[in-house]
Amino acid sequence: MNAKAIRQLADVTLDKYRSSIPRKAFEQVIEEIVAGGSEGAGLKYEAALLCRGSFPATLEENGEPCIVEASVYRLNAVAAASFMLDGPEGLLLHLGLSETDTYITKHEIDDLVTVVRILRKEADT
């Protein structure tokens, strides 16, 4: 399939699913397909860590100490589209995290997410 046909198919798909696919992420996927040719070498799920911070806290349910860790990730086009269409499960799997005590917040910018984890035991000093 040539680049022109791929772009026409992409335009039709984007028009059909406009409300559920982030435009920038979708366009990046199409560019990767066109650049990678038929083998699609650029289509990998990636999440780059931008920053991470942690702080001590207290659990409301029982008053026990815990550590809250917040990380901000920039998703590539494949990960952003997957997050919008399928939810956070793919990101959790990619990061090796479980759903227990993990919360993901989507930003207004299509490719940024914040992952907050509650570590139920206080870290050693």
Side-chain angles (χ1 to χ4, degrees), residues 19-123:
S19 64
S20 62
I21 299 175
R23 183 176 221 24
K24 181 180 176 184
F26 186 77
E27 289 172 354
Q28 287 175 350
V29 168
I30 298 306
E31 290 303 318
E32 289 176 5
I33 290 171
V34 170
S38 61
E39 66 273 355
L43 297 176
K44 294 182 181 177
Y45 192 110
E46 294 178 6
L49 178 65
L50 296 179
C51 64
R52 175 176 286 152
S54 62
F55 55 91
T58 303
L59 294 172
E60 287 184 7
E61 62 192 35
N62 56 14
E64 291 183 12
C66 66
I67 299 293
V68 175
E69 179 184 87
S71 306
V72 177
Y73 292 92
R74 179 174 303 281
L75 306 177
N76 74 345
V78 174
S82 172
F83 190 93
M84 291 299 292
L85 296 174
D86 302 326
E89 292 80 18
L91 180 60
L92 289 171
L93 182 65
H94 179 76
L95 297 174
L97 302 174
S98 70
E99 291 182 23
T100 306
D101 293 333
T102 303
Y103 308 92
I104 298 179
T105 303
K106 186 82 174 90
H107 294 256
E108 288 183 22
I109 300 172
D110 289 337
D111 59 351
L112 292 180
V113 294
T114 298
V115 177
V116 177
R117 290 182 26 193
I118 297 174
L119 308 172
R120 294 211 169 239
K121 59 182 184 179
E122 191 169 1

